[in-house]
Amino acid sequence: MSELFPEYRASWETDQHRELRRHAAEFFRKEATPHQERWARNHQVDREFWNKLGDAGLLGLDLPEEYGGAGGDFGFSAVVAEELALAHDSASGWVVHSPIVGHYVNTYANAEQKQRWMSKIISGEAVLAIAMTEPGTGSDLQAVRTTAVRDGDDYVINGSKTFISNGTHCDLLVIVAKTDPSQGAAGISLIVAETNDELQGFERGRVLEKVGQHGQDTRELFFSDMRVPVKNLLGEQEGRGFYQLMDQLARERLAIASVCSGMAEAAVVEAIHYTKEREAFGKPLIGFQHNRFALAELKAEVLSIKTTVDYCVQSYIDGRIDSATASMAKLIAADKGVAVVDRCVQFFGGYGYMMEYPIGRAYAAARVNKIYGGTSEIMKEIISRSL
């Protein structure tokens, strides 16, 4: 719940959203906040955390009730994304699993695939990941080199991926691959690999040493003549992968924007608490006019981020979101959110640079928000096309 703005309520928030917010806040402060340092040392969350998320009903928020989901709107996901950040979590791969990859499966899987996978996704039995980025490609998804060549009833997949969130725990992996390299974007398909111990040719590479989000299991993945059944193709035909990715990017960017909003608010809350407790020259830090004015400005910045993101979430719920508007939400939330966290570190002095403090972990974790899900520069390019 918002500590900075206790009376704040987005236009899309119903009583159900508010109840979910209370439930998620309580769950994450119990099951995620206390474990951040241990998860960072282990470079992964506990596998059981995913089952706890499922038991708490936090993995199928806008997935169909027939498979165990809540059947809610995107606002349910926005609420949980924000509460994760407010709980100082930078380890969970929930955003990748639930509002992003879970929705790929729900949108593009056929009835048989949904019957196989959806209940496991919602319960936490199956952790999701998506393999887009490759060592030589970033935002340019048309340039992927991973290939999926049909051989009878299988695809034979070869290639490598990097920066894959949930790379350690993933049980279902959506792979972006070229089924017809001669067709450019029209030759890309999405194929789901069931990454159990019996899958030959699949290798989880090294855990990547990131600047922040140390508890997030981010890995390299390798495919060497890996055979995946043709029936695991997402969509009715090959060659639709690039367009499926583009259709889902607005959702991904809004989920990240919601996290950015929560991170910015959490940082300001921490700064206010600290400046009220820490003394210098015989009085609390907040007693100095410069600090009060700086915090006042930061509180206003957070409100501007929240209202921007909430406007775009409402647009998504109403079915009138477009790529440029979603990109504006991500651009503003990421850029301003990183700046807010950075300025909050200053109040803590040397302690703000220590990873044992939530503000230090937030500082290290926030920077990537301007990169993944499309860089800020890509967001500006997309927005510029609407001018």
Side-chain angles (χ1 to χ4, degrees):
M1 303 296 288
S2 177
E3 187 173 332
L4 273 186
F5 308 101
E7 302 302 319
Y8 181 89
R9 186 165 184 160
S11 60
W12 48 266
E13 280 193 272
T14 65
D15 289 342
Q16 278 187 301
H17 292 113
R18 302 289 282 184
E19 183 58 36
L20 173 63
R21 190 178 289 282
R22 285 187 284 270
H23 169 58
E26 181 181 351
F27 176 86
F28 291 130
R29 280 159 178 75
K30 177 183 177 183
E31 300 292 348
T33 306
H35 306 298
Q36 293 299 307
E37 291 185 64
R38 180 171 59 83
W39 287 348
R41 290 193 300 270
N42 295 340
H43 296 290
Q44 63 183 48
V45 302
D46 302 327
R47 179 58 183 83
E48 294 75 19
F49 180 65
W50 289 102
N51 302 101
K52 291 179 179 180
L53 283 166
D55 292 342
L58 296 172
L59 294 180
L61 296 165
D62 53 358
L63 297 178
E65 295 181 51
E66 63 183 292
Y67 302 109
D73 57 30
F74 180 75
F76 282 64
S77 290
V79 162
V80 176
E82 190 175 2
E83 290 301 326
L84 261 172
L86 287 168
H88 303 296
D89 175 78
S90 62
S92 165
W94 178 88
V95 169
V96 172
H97 175 104
S98 193
I100 298 177
V101 189
H103 200 69
Y104 274 93
V105 177
N106 185 50
T107 304
Y108 303 119
N110 58 37
E112 185 273 333
Q113 291 170 332
K114 289 182 181 180
Q115 197 64 43
R116 272 195 288 149
W117 298 327
M118 195 67 79
S119 62
K120 295 179 181 179
I121 291 169
I122 293 169
S123 70
E125 180 182 346
V127 177
L128 296 175
I130 186 164
M132 295 188 199
T133 306
E134 297 182 359
T137 65
S139 298
D140 185 9
L141 295 176
Q142 298 182 60
V144 297
R145 295 184 178 182
T146 297
T147 59
V149 178
R150 185 160 182 171
D151 180 27
D153 291 333
D154 292 334
Y155 287 112
V156 180
I157 301 178
N158 285 280
S160 63
K161 300 289 183 177
T162 193
F163 308 148
I164 307 306
S165 300
N166 297 341
T168 298
H169 290 315
C170 69
D171 304 287
L172 294 174
L173 176 68
V174 177
I175 301 170
V176 180
K178 289 252 178 95
T179 45
D180 187 348
S182 68
Q183 294 298 309
I188 294 174
S189 301
L190 303 185
I191 302 164
V192 180
E194 297 168 272
T195 55
N196 52 44
D197 293 338
E198 300 173 3
L199 182 60
Q200 297 182 2
F202 174 68
E203 179 185 352
R204 302 181 202 262
R206 65 190 176 99
V207 176
L208 300 172
E209 291 283 349
K210 306 185 297 296
V211 171
Q213 300 189 5
H214 298 147
Q216 168 59 247
D217 56 328
T218 308
R219 282 184 178 266
E220 297 172 323
L221 300 178
F222 301 97
F223 319 123
S224 178
D225 291 334
M226 183 179 76
R227 303 185 77 90
V228 176
V230 170
K231 66 179 182 179
N232 284 14
L233 174 73
L234 277 186
E236 297 179 357
Q237 62 188 54
E238 294 179 359
R240 300 299 303 164
F242 182 78
Y243 309 103
Q244 292 166 335
L245 291 166
M246 294 301 104
D247 284 345
Q248 296 301 316
L249 280 176
R251 181 184 183 86
E252 177 179 351
R253 287 164 182 165
L254 287 180
I256 295 171
S258 297
V259 171
C260 295
S261 176
M263 289 184 77
E265 181 168 354
V268 175
V269 168
E270 285 294 302
I272 291 172
H273 288 170
Y274 187 79
T275 55
K276 287 181 177 179
E277 296 169 358
R278 177 78 174 188
E279 291 192 356
F281 306 106
K283 63 180 178 180
L285 292 180
I286 202 167
F288 294 92
Q289 186 185 66
H290 171 79
N291 291 336
R292 289 199 309 277
F293 281 12
L295 288 166
E297 188 175 41
L298 288 165
K299 182 174 181 177
E301 287 280 355
V302 171
L303 184 60
S304 73
I305 295 170
K306 287 174 70 71
T307 54
T308 298
V309 173
D310 286 332
Y311 169 82
C312 294
V313 170
Q314 182 70 70
S315 296
Y316 186 94
I317 293 171
D318 292 343
R320 53 185 176 83
I321 195 73
D322 57 34
S323 181
T325 304
S327 297
M328 283 186 259
K330 169 127 184 343
L331 176 67
I332 293 298
D335 282 13
K336 288 187 175 294
V338 168
V340 166
V341 174
D342 176 74
R343 289 173 62 192
C344 286
V345 170
Q346 198 71 17
F347 294 104
F348 291 77
Y351 291 109
Y353 206 59
M354 299 295 111
M355 293 301 284
E356 64 190 87
Y357 276 67
I359 192 66
R361 295 195 294 271
Y363 177 72
R367 184 59 178 81
V368 76
N369 292 329
K370 297 169 66 172
I371 298 172
Y372 60 13
T375 65
S376 292
E377 290 71 27
I378 293 293
M379 298 303 98
K380 293 173 187 177
E381 177 63 28
I382 293 169
I383 296 165
S384 71
R385 296 171 188 169
S386 68
L387 300 178

